[in-house]
């Protein structure tokens, strides 16, 4: 049962981090109408936590590979708590607020790089899709928590009250991780010496990183501007819009779990990722049409778009860690996160400029086109038995080790359908 506790702690820590990294869009009404900022300025503030995140992800991943997950996550969340508390205490100007949000994002990068490694280390291959699917629910759950909490807190207590709430939840998670988290056992091979670089001589990981980064464009176009779209186009109140977005994020969380379980059953990750990328392109294109011609279907399609754009995340992270191997998984996940969050940092201000100039629907059209492009980059090859994950020449994740709770962590081989078995 201990591994499930580690999964719960990793997911909760990631949820807390996502709540503040991605929670600023739900303060848009407060920032625009009480703080007097333009939509473009709000887009810049939305990008600040993600920009800080991008700058620190690889370093935190390398630290997790060397020092272990527990100390990295606890230290990072502790610094993020201090930065958020400082922002809540009165740093409401554009520059000081943006700087503290960037510091909080950089500190929170520890969770992004290390919590996935924590979960992967405690579960064998046949359960990793489910486990990482559960862990990846943290993004929509964190955004859902922010969508529910930020608008009413900002209305009742101002910007300081909303940011204070975020500082409180990261502070609680700092203590829980420090007290209860445990690093997974490290395979003997990983401890014996340097492992081969999984990026050398292979394009699989770079392609995987690239396709996942492109899929952030529709995810953040739908998620970051859903509240202002519902208020500007559909006439909803910020509180009611936040409630609908929270529902959409909850659906996205459920979808990640189901998709993870699906990948465990099929023995494949990347084939399913490509299929979902195609579905994402279709749904976001439909949302663009509904945004261009508003109707009662517009909020419904927006909910579906928010949910489906979150569906591939767990698959890409699980594949990254499995291909990289345990000795490189922290750094590989750090690079994977860097690509995704660099895109996430660029999308809000860029989309805000596009929306301000042309309206909402062109931004959704562009997002749909990017999702379609991503589907062509996912590293899946056509073989005699149909599409298969590309595995030749790659490094499988952790060698078989004494499993927790008496189970073997059966990660020494890749045995998915249509794939060559690769010894670790």
């Amino acid at each position: 049962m201990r591994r499930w506790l580690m999964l719960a702690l990793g997911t909760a820590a990631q949820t807390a981090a996502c709540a503040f990294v991605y929670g600023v869009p739900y303060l848009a009404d407060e920032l625009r109408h009480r703080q007097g900022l333009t939509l473009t300025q709000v887009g810049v503030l939305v990008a600040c936590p993600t920009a800080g995140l991008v700058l620190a992800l690889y370093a935190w991943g390398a630290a997790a590979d060397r020092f272990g997950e527990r100390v990295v996550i606890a230290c990072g969340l502790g610094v993020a708590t201090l930065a958020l508390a400082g922002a809540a205490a009165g740093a409401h100007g554009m520059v000081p607020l943006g700087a503290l949000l960037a510091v909080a994002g950089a500190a929170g990068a520890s969770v992004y790089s290390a919590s996935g490694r924590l979960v992967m280390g405690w579960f064998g291959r046949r359960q990793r899709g489910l486990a990482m699917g559960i862990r990846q629910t943290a993004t929509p759950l964190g955004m859902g928590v922010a969508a529910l909490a930020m608008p009413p807190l900002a209305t009742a207590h101002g910007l300081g009250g909303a940011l204070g709430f975020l500082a409180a939840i990261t502070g609680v998670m700092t203590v829980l991780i420090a007290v209860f988290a445990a690093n997974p056992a490290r395979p003997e091979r990983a401890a014996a010496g340097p492992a081969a670089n999984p990026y050398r001589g292979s394009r699989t990981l770079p392609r995987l990183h690239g396709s996942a980064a492109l899929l952030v464009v529709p995810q953040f176009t739908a998620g970051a501007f859903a509240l202002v779209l519902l208020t500007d186009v559909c006439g909803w109140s910020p509180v009611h819009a936040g409630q609908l977005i929270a529902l959409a994020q909850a659906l996205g969380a459920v979808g990640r779990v189901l998709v993870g379980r699906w990948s465990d059953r099929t023995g494949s990750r990347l084939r399913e990722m490509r299929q979902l990328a195609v579905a994402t392109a279709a749904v976001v294109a439909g949302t663009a049409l509904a945004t261009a011609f508003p109707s009662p279907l517009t909020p419904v399609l927006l909910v579906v778009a928010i949910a489906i754009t979150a569906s591939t995340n767990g698959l890409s992270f699980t594949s990254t860690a499995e291909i990289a191997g345990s000795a490189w998984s922290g750094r590989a996940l750090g690079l994977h996160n860097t690509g995704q969050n660099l895109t996430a940092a660029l999308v809000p201000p860029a989309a805000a400029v596009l929306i301000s100039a042309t309206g909402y629907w062109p931004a959704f059209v562009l997002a749909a086109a990017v999702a379609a492009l991503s589907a062509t980059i996912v590293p899946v090859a056509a073989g005699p038995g149909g599409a298969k994950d590309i595995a030749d020449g790659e490094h499988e994740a952790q060698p078989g080790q004494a499993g927790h709770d008496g189970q073997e962590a059966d990660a020494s081989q890749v045995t998915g359908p249509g794939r060559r078995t690769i010894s670790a």
Side-chain angles (χ1 to χ4, degrees), residues 15-311:
T15 300
C18 289
F20 74 79
V21 171
Y22 305 131
V24 179
Y26 307 116
L27 295 172
D29 191 67
E30 166 74 16
L31 292 169
R32 290 170 72 194
H33 297 129
R34 292 195 189 181
Q35 305 295 323
L37 302 182
T38 66
L39 183 61
T40 300
Q41 289 175 316
V42 171
V44 172
L45 281 181
V46 167
C48 283
T50 313
L53 192 78
V54 167
L55 295 175
L57 278 165
Y58 185 81
W60 282 118
D65 285 338
R66 181 168 184 179
F67 301 111
E69 297 81 2
R70 183 175 68 91
V71 64
V72 166
I73 297 173
C75 288
L77 280 178
V79 174
T81 300
L82 294 176
L84 290 169
H92 296 173
M94 180 80 179
V95 173
L97 179 59
L100 284 170
L101 289 174
V103 170
S110 64
V111 186
Y112 286 71
S113 291
S115 65
R117 195 183 193 287
L118 178 71
V119 171
M120 290 289 292
W122 280 91
F123 286 84
R125 178 173 173 80
R126 292 188 181 95
Q127 291 183 313
R128 281 198 189 131
L130 174 62
M132 284 295 283
I134 293 172
R135 182 259 187 184
Q136 291 304 116
T137 63
T139 300
L141 286 177
M143 295 174 78
V145 167
L148 280 177
M150 295 296 97
L153 282 172
T155 300
H157 305 288
L159 196 59
L163 294 174
F165 167 76
L166 296 175
I169 62 174
T170 56
V172 169
M173 283 313 307
T174 300
V175 174
L176 292 177
I177 290 292
V179 174
F180 295 109
N183 297 333
R186 296 202 174 201
E188 292 182 3
R189 178 182 170 186
N197 186 337
Y199 292 90
R200 188 167 296 152
S202 171
R203 294 180 298 169
T204 300
L205 278 173
R207 285 178 60 185
L208 179 54
H209 298 334
S211 60
L214 290 175
L215 285 171
V216 171
V217 175
Q219 182 180 359
F220 272 74
T221 300
F225 294 95
L227 188 140
V228 291
L229 189 155
L230 288 169
T231 56
D232 291 351
V233 174
C234 301
W236 288 42
S237 72
V239 172
H240 290 151
Q243 291 169 347
L244 183 69
I245 295 167
L247 171 63
Q249 297 293 356
L251 292 175
V254 172
R256 289 188 178 193
V257 175
L258 295 177
V259 166
R261 182 58 179 156
W262 176 31
S263 75
D264 284 338
R265 292 177 67 87
T266 62
S268 171
R269 319 278 188 212
L270 301 179
R271 180 179 55 197
E272 287 72 15
M273 181 176 169
R274 172 175 284 181
Q275 293 169 354
L276 288 169
V278 172
T280 294
V283 170
V284 174
T287 306
L289 184 63
T291 303
F293 303 98
S295 73
L297 285 178
T298 302
V300 176
L301 284 171
L302 186 60
V303 166
V304 176
I306 291 172
I308 197 169
T309 55
S311 62

